[in-house]
Amino acid sequence: ILTAFKIINGDDGTSVGADKLKSIKENSNYFRNQLKKMGCSVLGDEDSPVIPLMLFGPSHIAAFSRECLSRGLAVVVVGAPAVPIYGSRVRFCISAA
């Protein structure tokens, strides 16, 4: 963990950490903006690599999760009781790749 922090801070003498953080920010904002363009209800803060997408109905959770898995996407789905019954959502976690 300490090595990771050193890389992120640039203490290793490279810009690898800064480059990765910039890439995560750009990838996250691109993904978020594309979801919004498609008319999706997206929560969370700009620049955040965790992007919650509202599914609203609890009946959509399992189907959405299975569809993502069939396409090779790992997602986290959240439903009641963690959120209100109408607040079902999926969380995408964006990487620098």
Side-chain angles (χ1 to χ4, degrees):
I1 294 176
L2 292 177
T3 301
F5 282 125
K6 287 179 183 178
I7 293 170
I8 290 170
N9 288 329
D11 296 341
D12 63 340
T14 70
S15 66
V16 171
D19 294 343
K20 292 286 184 184
L21 290 176
K22 180 181 176 196
S23 181
I24 290 171
K25 178 180 174 179
E26 290 172 353
N27 291 349
S28 299
N29 288 336
Y30 175 81
F31 188 76
R32 179 185 308 279
N33 289 332
Q34 293 303 308
L35 288 172
K36 287 180 179 179
K37 279 185 186 177
M38 293 187 322
C40 295
S41 179
V42 181
L43 303 178
D45 298 323
E46 285 291 315
D47 301 338
S48 173
V50 179
I51 301 173
L53 169 69
M54 295 303 294
L55 298 177
F56 296 106
S59 61
H60 301 120
I61 296 173
F64 192 91
S65 180
R66 281 193 302 274
E67 185 63 28
C68 287
L69 184 59
S70 74
R71 294 171 183 246
L73 293 173
V75 297
V76 177
V77 290
V78 183
V83 295
I85 195 78
Y86 54 84
S88 302
R89 64 196 70 183
V90 60
R91 289 185 180 136
F92 294 96
C93 299
I94 306 301
S95 73

